[in-house]
Amino acid sequence: MKPFKVKTLVKNIFKNFGLSNINASICANYILMAELYGAPSHGLARLKMYCNRLEKKIINPKPKIKVKKISTSIFHIDANNSMGFVAADIAIKIAIKNAKKSGISLVAVKNSGHYGLSSFYAEQAVKKNLMVWCFTNAPPAIAPYGSKKSLFGTNPICFGTPSGNKVPFILDTSMSMINRGKIRVAAKLGHKIPLGLALDKFGKQTTNAKKALEGTQLPIGGFRGSGLAWIIDIMSGVFTGSNHGGKVKDPFDDFTGPQNVGHLFLVLKPNLFVGKNYIKRIKENIKMVKKLPKIKGVKEILYPGQGRGLRYKQNLKKGIVIPKNILQEIRKLNVIK
Ligand SMILES: NC(=O)c1ccc[n+]([C@@H]2O[C@H](COP(=O)([O-])OP(=O)(O)OC[C@H]3O[C@@H](n4cnc5c(N)ncnc54)[C@H](O)[C@@H]3O)[C@@H](O)[C@H]2O)c1
């Protein structure tokens, strides 16, 4: 399907589920971007879930989002259980505006929902020649090191910087071996997942996606990944005033109330210490990595974000391929209201 058609379709569905024209447009845009980035686990596959939650009003379709100024460069947003996309979109725009003025800006968001890919927001800052960190917590998926029970979310960590190249440097990675959305898509399509990514509920390695969802996901790098997921829970949850410690509700399975996810955005001017030399220095830095001798089978050493940039270009031309079962869900959503 052509990208603009996907966007119009999704926007209309969100409007039918009570979102304002502008908020429906923001959400549709991010869902389309996930598809274009080649991350369908965070795109149309989640539309039904968002609509279910909007219908039950555990995502507030008409939120009154409050922005509290704490100092010239620090802001605290109460998202009033809005769509995560909407709150995060406001937050990153405030962070960008204020980092441009004062060199650095920190924006915390509480009472929010699932905001999709962190790179959506990082990319906006990088396009304005800024450096950025984005954090969000997520529902329990990873067992803290030494435990059998999931508590931390897949809690992505995201860093972006201008690269002196058309494609920004954006590392955007879950703290789990694989993001949960990919396991959900595999479970939906009846596909297996590779060994070494998840345990079943008895603590045994599994390749069965459904059993993995009932069990726990393995963190990247053992106790180190578990520690990083913990940091992100502290920064996004404890620090911002949002749910934390395993209390963020699973948007697919738990309809007992809003998720109360937290996000944190830190945006900085990259030239704070080295002035105009920053771009020259980052270019040199990337060049030094890229020209290293490669291992067998590797054509090019990529920097984070390069692959996604390429997929975006290709998908924009090729259009969005929607799996049959997801197309059926979308058709139902489009007809129901
Ligand atoms: N909102 C949420 O609750 C939530 C939770 C978890 C993940 N996510 C999102 O899911 C998305 C996918 O996460 P993921 O962990 O599956 O990402 P991934 O494994 O696809 O990629 C992780 C990072 O590694 C980089 N990378 C990949 N291959 C590379 C290579 N060959 N050389 C150099 N760099 C390379 C990518 O550019 C990316 O920045 C992220 O955008 C994340 O924000 C969201």
mmCIF file with all atom_site columns, all heavy atoms in Angstrom, residues 19-33:
data_model
loop_
_atom_site.group_PDB
_atom_site.id
_atom_site.type_symbol
_atom_site.label_atom_id
_atom_site.label_alt_id
_atom_site.label_comp_id
_atom_site.label_asym_id
_atom_site.label_entity_id
_atom_site.label_seq_id
_atom_site.pdbx_PDB_ins_code
_atom_site.Cartn_x
_atom_site.Cartn_y
_atom_site.Cartn_z
_atom_site.occupancy
_atom_site.B_iso_or_equiv
_atom_site.pdbx_formal_charge
_atom_site.auth_seq_id
_atom_site.auth_comp_id
_atom_site.auth_asym_id
_atom_site.auth_atom_id
_atom_site.pdbx_PDB_model_num
ATOM 1   N N   . LEU A 1 19 ? -9.790 10.525 18.711 1.00 0.00 ? 19 LEU A N   1
ATOM 2   C CA  . LEU A 1 19 ? -8.669 11.477 18.740 1.00 0.00 ? 19 LEU A CA  1
ATOM 3   C C   . LEU A 1 19 ? -9.006 12.722 17.920 1.00 0.00 ? 19 LEU A C   1
ATOM 4   O O   . LEU A 1 19 ? -9.746 12.643 16.930 1.00 0.00 ? 19 LEU A O   1
ATOM 5   C CB  . LEU A 1 19 ? -7.394 10.853 18.161 1.00 0.00 ? 19 LEU A CB  1
ATOM 6   C CG  . LEU A 1 19 ? -6.714 9.701  18.896 1.00 0.00 ? 19 LEU A CG  1
ATOM 7   C CD1 . LEU A 1 19 ? -5.271 9.547  18.413 1.00 0.00 ? 19 LEU A CD1 1
ATOM 8   C CD2 . LEU A 1 19 ? -6.706 9.890  20.398 1.00 0.00 ? 19 LEU A CD2 1
ATOM 9   N N   . SER A 1 20 ? -8.429 13.850 18.313 1.00 0.00 ? 20 SER A N   1
ATOM 10  C CA  . SER A 1 20 ? -8.597 15.084 17.536 1.00 0.00 ? 20 SER A CA  1
ATOM 11  C C   . SER A 1 20 ? -7.873 14.906 16.197 1.00 0.00 ? 20 SER A C   1
ATOM 12  O O   . SER A 1 20 ? -7.009 14.015 16.058 1.00 0.00 ? 20 SER A O   1
ATOM 13  C CB  . SER A 1 20 ? -7.994 16.262 18.296 1.00 0.00 ? 20 SER A CB  1
ATOM 14  O OG  . SER A 1 20 ? -6.590 16.067 18.392 1.00 0.00 ? 20 SER A OG  1
ATOM 15  N N   . ASN A 1 21 ? -8.187 15.777 15.251 1.00 0.00 ? 21 ASN A N   1
ATOM 16  C CA  . ASN A 1 21 ? -7.561 15.709 13.932 1.00 0.00 ? 21 ASN A CA  1
ATOM 17  C C   . ASN A 1 21 ? -6.026 15.747 14.045 1.00 0.00 ? 21 ASN A C   1
ATOM 18  O O   . ASN A 1 21 ? -5.320 14.927 13.475 1.00 0.00 ? 21 ASN A O   1
ATOM 19  C CB  . ASN A 1 21 ? -8.080 16.888 13.095 1.00 0.00 ? 21 ASN A CB  1
ATOM 20  C CG  . ASN A 1 21 ? -7.655 16.752 11.652 1.00 0.00 ? 21 ASN A CG  1
ATOM 21  O OD1 . ASN A 1 21 ? -7.874 15.707 11.038 1.00 0.00 ? 21 ASN A OD1 1
ATOM 22  N ND2 . ASN A 1 21 ? -7.019 17.780 11.118 1.00 0.00 ? 21 ASN A ND2 1
ATOM 23  N N   . ILE A 1 22 ? -5.532 16.677 14.860 1.00 0.00 ? 22 ILE A N   1
ATOM 24  C CA  . ILE A 1 22 ? -4.076 16.857 14.962 1.00 0.00 ? 22 ILE A CA  1
ATOM 25  C C   . ILE A 1 22 ? -3.420 15.657 15.649 1.00 0.00 ? 22 ILE A C   1
ATOM 26  O O   . ILE A 1 22 ? -2.391 15.144 15.185 1.00 0.00 ? 22 ILE A O   1
ATOM 27  C CB  . ILE A 1 22 ? -3.713 18.211 15.657 1.00 0.00 ? 22 ILE A CB  1
ATOM 28  C CG1 . ILE A 1 22 ? -2.214 18.377 15.889 1.00 0.00 ? 22 ILE A CG1 1
ATOM 29  C CG2 . ILE A 1 22 ? -4.405 18.452 16.953 1.00 0.00 ? 22 ILE A CG2 1
ATOM 30  C CD1 . ILE A 1 22 ? -1.546 18.975 14.692 1.00 0.00 ? 22 ILE A CD1 1
ATOM 31  N N   . ASN A 1 23 ? -4.037 15.158 16.734 1.00 0.00 ? 23 ASN A N   1
ATOM 32  C CA  . ASN A 1 23 ? -3.435 14.014 17.438 1.00 0.00 ? 23 ASN A CA  1
ATOM 33  C C   . ASN A 1 23 ? -3.521 12.737 16.602 1.00 0.00 ? 23 ASN A C   1
ATOM 34  O O   . ASN A 1 23 ? -2.601 11.912 16.624 1.00 0.00 ? 23 ASN A O   1
ATOM 35  C CB  . ASN A 1 23 ? -4.084 13.818 18.816 1.00 0.00 ? 23 ASN A CB  1
ATOM 36  C CG  . ASN A 1 23 ? -3.640 14.902 19.789 1.00 0.00 ? 23 ASN A CG  1
ATOM 37  O OD1 . ASN A 1 23 ? -2.747 15.681 19.478 1.00 0.00 ? 23 ASN A OD1 1
ATOM 38  N ND2 . ASN A 1 23 ? -4.264 14.963 20.945 1.00 0.00 ? 23 ASN A ND2 1
ATOM 39  N N   . ALA A 1 24 ? -4.610 12.595 15.852 1.00 0.00 ? 24 ALA A N   1
ATOM 40  C CA  . ALA A 1 24 ? -4.739 11.426 14.966 1.00 0.00 ? 24 ALA A CA  1
ATOM 41  C C   . ALA A 1 24 ? -3.639 11.471 13.905 1.00 0.00 ? 24 ALA A C   1
ATOM 42  O O   . ALA A 1 24 ? -3.031 10.451 13.557 1.00 0.00 ? 24 ALA A O   1
ATOM 43  C CB  . ALA A 1 24 ? -6.112 11.404 14.311 1.00 0.00 ? 24 ALA A CB  1
ATOM 44  N N   . SER A 1 25 ? -3.351 12.674 13.438 1.00 0.00 ? 25 SER A N   1
ATOM 45  C CA  . SER A 1 25 ? -2.332 12.847 12.408 1.00 0.00 ? 25 SER A CA  1
ATOM 46  C C   . SER A 1 25 ? -0.935 12.521 12.966 1.00 0.00 ? 25 SER A C   1
ATOM 47  O O   . SER A 1 25 ? -0.135 11.831 12.317 1.00 0.00 ? 25 SER A O   1
ATOM 48  C CB  . SER A 1 25 ? -2.404 14.289 11.917 1.00 0.00 ? 25 SER A CB  1
ATOM 49  O OG  . SER A 1 25 ? -1.522 14.476 10.891 1.00 0.00 ? 25 SER A OG  1
ATOM 50  N N   . ILE A 1 26 ? -0.666 12.982 14.189 1.00 0.00 ? 26 ILE A N   1
ATOM 51  C CA  . ILE A 1 26 ? 0.637  12.704 14.831 1.00 0.00 ? 26 ILE A CA  1
ATOM 52  C C   . ILE A 1 26 ? 0.819  11.190 14.986 1.00 0.00 ? 26 ILE A C   1
ATOM 53  O O   . ILE A 1 26 ? 1.850  10.621 14.618 1.00 0.00 ? 26 ILE A O   1
ATOM 54  C CB  . ILE A 1 26 ? 0.717  13.403 16.222 1.00 0.00 ? 26 ILE A CB  1
ATOM 55  C CG1 . ILE A 1 26 ? 0.836  14.923 16.051 1.00 0.00 ? 26 ILE A CG1 1
ATOM 56  C CG2 . ILE A 1 26 ? 1.879  12.870 17.060 1.00 0.00 ? 26 ILE A CG2 1
ATOM 57  C CD1 . ILE A 1 26 ? 0.667  15.729 17.331 1.00 0.00 ? 26 ILE A CD1 1
ATOM 58  N N   . CYS A 1 27 ? -0.213 10.529 15.509 1.00 0.00 ? 27 CYS A N   1
ATOM 59  C CA  . CYS A 1 27 ? -0.108 9.071  15.768 1.00 0.00 ? 27 CYS A CA  1
ATOM 60  C C   . CYS A 1 27 ? 0.032  8.298  14.460 1.00 0.00 ? 27 CYS A C   1
ATOM 61  O O   . CYS A 1 27 ? 0.846  7.370  14.366 1.00 0.00 ? 27 CYS A O   1
ATOM 62  C CB  . CYS A 1 27 ? -1.330 8.566  16.538 1.00 0.00 ? 27 CYS A CB  1
ATOM 63  S SG  . CYS A 1 27 ? -1.455 9.295  18.171 1.00 0.00 ? 27 CYS A SG  1
ATOM 64  N N   . ALA A 1 28 ? -0.753 8.684  13.456 1.00 0.00 ? 28 ALA A N   1
ATOM 65  C CA  . ALA A 1 28 ? -0.694 7.978  12.162 1.00 0.00 ? 28 ALA A CA  1
ATOM 66  C C   . ALA A 1 28 ? 0.696  8.137  11.551 1.00 0.00 ? 28 ALA A C   1
ATOM 67  O O   . ALA A 1 28 ? 1.252  7.197  10.973 1.00 0.00 ? 28 ALA A O   1
ATOM 68  C CB  . ALA A 1 28 ? -1.756 8.532  11.228 1.00 0.00 ? 28 ALA A CB  1
ATOM 69  N N   . ASN A 1 29 ? 1.256  9.314  11.706 1.00 0.00 ? 29 ASN A N   1
ATOM 70  C CA  . ASN A 1 29 ? 2.578  9.574  11.150 1.00 0.00 ? 29 ASN A CA  1
ATOM 71  C C   . ASN A 1 29 ? 3.631  8.664  11.770 1.00 0.00 ? 29 ASN A C   1
ATOM 72  O O   . ASN A 1 29 ? 4.455  8.071  11.069 1.00 0.00 ? 29 ASN A O   1
ATOM 73  C CB  . ASN A 1 29 ? 2.922  11.052 11.392 1.00 0.00 ? 29 ASN A CB  1
ATOM 74  C CG  . ASN A 1 29 ? 4.046  11.490 10.508 1.00 0.00 ? 29 ASN A CG  1
ATOM 75  O OD1 . ASN A 1 29 ? 4.113  11.076 9.352  1.00 0.00 ? 29 ASN A OD1 1
ATOM 76  N ND2 . ASN A 1 29 ? 4.940  12.281 11.050 1.00 0.00 ? 29 ASN A ND2 1
ATOM 77  N N   . TYR A 1 30 ? 3.597  8.507  13.102 1.00 0.00 ? 30 TYR A N   1
ATOM 78  C CA  . TYR A 1 30 ? 4.595  7.665  13.771 1.00 0.00 ? 30 TYR A CA  1
ATOM 79  C C   . TYR A 1 30 ? 4.399  6.189  13.420 1.00 0.00 ? 30 TYR A C   1
ATOM 80  O O   . TYR A 1 30 ? 5.374  5.449  13.285 1.00 0.00 ? 30 TYR A O   1
ATOM 81  C CB  . TYR A 1 30 ? 4.568  7.884  15.287 1.00 0.00 ? 30 TYR A CB  1
ATOM 82  C CG  . TYR A 1 30 ? 5.203  9.210  15.695 1.00 0.00 ? 30 TYR A CG  1
ATOM 83  C CD1 . TYR A 1 30 ? 4.535  10.117 16.513 1.00 0.00 ? 30 TYR A CD1 1
ATOM 84  C CD2 . TYR A 1 30 ? 6.476  9.557  15.257 1.00 0.00 ? 30 TYR A CD2 1
ATOM 85  C CE1 . TYR A 1 30 ? 5.115  11.319 16.885 1.00 0.00 ? 30 TYR A CE1 1
ATOM 86  C CE2 . TYR A 1 30 ? 7.066  10.762 15.619 1.00 0.00 ? 30 TYR A CE2 1
ATOM 87  C CZ  . TYR A 1 30 ? 6.382  11.638 16.437 1.00 0.00 ? 30 TYR A CZ  1
ATOM 88  O OH  . TYR A 1 30 ? 6.973  12.826 16.798 1.00 0.00 ? 30 TYR A OH  1
ATOM 89  N N   . ILE A 1 31 ? 3.133  5.768  13.286 1.00 0.00 ? 31 ILE A N   1
ATOM 90  C CA  . ILE A 1 31 ? 2.890  4.366  12.918 1.00 0.00 ? 31 ILE A CA  1
ATOM 91  C C   . ILE A 1 31 ? 3.423  4.107  11.511 1.00 0.00 ? 31 ILE A C   1
ATOM 92  O O   . ILE A 1 31 ? 4.073  3.096  11.239 1.00 0.00 ? 31 ILE A O   1
ATOM 93  C CB  . ILE A 1 31 ? 1.386  4.025  13.071 1.00 0.00 ? 31 ILE A CB  1
ATOM 94  C CG1 . ILE A 1 31 ? 1.105  3.887  14.564 1.00 0.00 ? 31 ILE A CG1 1
ATOM 95  C CG2 . ILE A 1 31 ? 1.009  2.761  12.300 1.00 0.00 ? 31 ILE A CG2 1
ATOM 96  C CD1 . ILE A 1 31 ? -0.238 3.415  14.952 1.00 0.00 ? 31 ILE A CD1 1
ATOM 97  N N   . LEU A 1 32 ? 3.196  5.059  10.625 1.00 0.00 ? 32 LEU A N   1
ATOM 98  C CA  . LEU A 1 32 ? 3.729  4.921  9.262  1.00 0.00 ? 32 LEU A CA  1
ATOM 99  C C   . LEU A 1 32 ? 5.261  4.899  9.287  1.00 0.00 ? 32 LEU A C   1
ATOM 100 O O   . LEU A 1 32 ? 5.902  4.107  8.580  1.00 0.00 ? 32 LEU A O   1
ATOM 101 C CB  . LEU A 1 32 ? 3.224  6.081  8.389  1.00 0.00 ? 32 LEU A CB  1
ATOM 102 C CG  . LEU A 1 32 ? 3.852  6.178  7.009  1.00 0.00 ? 32 LEU A CG  1
ATOM 103 C CD1 . LEU A 1 32 ? 3.533  4.947  6.163  1.00 0.00 ? 32 LEU A CD1 1
ATOM 104 C CD2 . LEU A 1 32 ? 3.372  7.430  6.272  1.00 0.00 ? 32 LEU A CD2 1
ATOM 105 N N   . MET A 1 33 ? 5.848  5.766  10.119 1.00 0.00 ? 33 MET A N   1
ATOM 106 C CA  . MET A 1 33 ? 7.322  5.808  10.191 1.00 0.00 ? 33 MET A CA  1
ATOM 107 C C   . MET A 1 33 ? 7.897  4.467  10.634 1.00 0.00 ? 33 MET A C   1
ATOM 108 O O   . MET A 1 33 ? 8.928  4.024  10.122 1.00 0.00 ? 33 MET A O   1
ATOM 109 C CB  . MET A 1 33 ? 7.778  6.923  11.134 1.00 0.00 ? 33 MET A CB  1
ATOM 110 C CG  . MET A 1 33 ? 7.957  8.249  10.414 1.00 0.00 ? 33 MET A CG  1
ATOM 111 S SD  . MET A 1 33 ? 8.162  9.588  11.561 1.00 0.00 ? 33 MET A SD  1
ATOM 112 C CE  . MET A 1 33 ? 9.861  9.370  12.042 1.00 0.00 ? 33 MET A CE  1
#
